[in-house]
Amino acid sequence: MSFRADYLRQLPHLTAATAEATALQLFQYQAAHCPPYAAYLAALGCQPAQVRRVADVPFLPIEFFKTHDVRTDPAAWEPQEVFRSSGTTLQQRSRHLVREPRLYRDNAARIFEATYGPLNSWIFLGLLPSYLEQGESSLVAMVADFAQRSGQRQEAFFLRDHAGLLKALAEAKRTPGRRVMLFGVTYALLDLAAEVGAAPELQGITVLETGGMKGRRREMIREELHQELQQVFGPAPIHSEYGMTELLSQAYSPGEGLFYAPPQLQVLLRDPADPFSVGEDRADGAINVIDLANVDSCAFIETKDLARRHPGGAFEVLGRMDNSDIRGCSQLV
């Protein structure tokens, strides 16, 4: 059996106890078979065989997804799907080349169900206008797949049709045995709140904001944003997602801005001024992320996000490093 086939067989059964050993195995594989990553490691003078701890793994700067085809074993496959980051026409968008679309969807579904319960106990609606307009969005693909798997009757997406969204929410709330989750890009949720106010259809649902102001509104700290949204959606906590185009896994926050990563997703912190200073015990710093679902691209990514670690394994995203691009799924400062 090939490494990839054996690895994918084990992926659904990952635990926190096995994640580091799995990550080191994947590092050795990608160090040999992912050309952009191998070239980067060689430029650093890294000897992969000498890497014994995850903290010693060099992480690929996330900008490589803009400038290179980041693929592992590229001769064996052609992309069946391409996910692109959001951005303006003046920005170069990151590309995540996907070998097997079902891998992304199955992995995302497992993570969601481990956090929120069975997909068929939910109805999913999305207010994601910029992602829908630009296309090739991993977030849109995920929400669409959740809606399909849930067996819901309601249309999932509403570009800017707030009246249609309210009607769908009212119908969804009347569906026995179902909870309702609204995925929304931040500025679109604020636009909805400004237009319809505390409409009864917005009460008693789970709101999951995915970040993203896109320069359409002033930047807000998370506490201010969530307080404003709670005035419209009710006193329940506002949930959040931490994910990005370059990842096939997500972390969720059930409130208070604290994210909990699944075994597939490991968050390490580094000194923002030194990309090679990953500290397993650091309380705050810039995020290096390991996405063990990224078997076909690169699992070891140096992001531009800043975070603080909290007790119990939670992390809080504080914002972006200076001089870095504003990204659609990054949380607010």
Side-chain angles (χ1 to χ4, degrees), residues 38 49 55 64 66 74 88 99 104 107 126 128 149 166 189 200 206 279 318:
F64 272 65
K66 291 184 176 182
T88 69
R99 177 174 180 172
Y104 169 62
N107 183 64
L128 307 166
R149 293 186 188 220
L166 292 181
L189 290 173
T206 298
L318 303 176

Side-chain angles (χ1 to χ4, degrees), residues 2-55:
S2 69
F3 173 88
R4 183 179 185 273
D6 185 58
Y7 181 88
L8 291 179
R9 181 177 58 82
Q10 299 177 51
L11 185 63
H13 309 292
L14 273 176
T15 66
T18 61
E20 178 160 357
T22 301
L24 289 171
Q25 293 172 1
L26 185 57
F27 167 70
Q28 296 297 334
Y29 175 65
Q30 293 188 328
H33 297 286
C34 179
Y37 192 35
Y40 180 67
L41 295 175
L44 295 177
C46 172
Q47 300 294 324
Q50 297 177 5
V51 174
R52 298 286 187 269
R53 302 182 309 148
V54 163

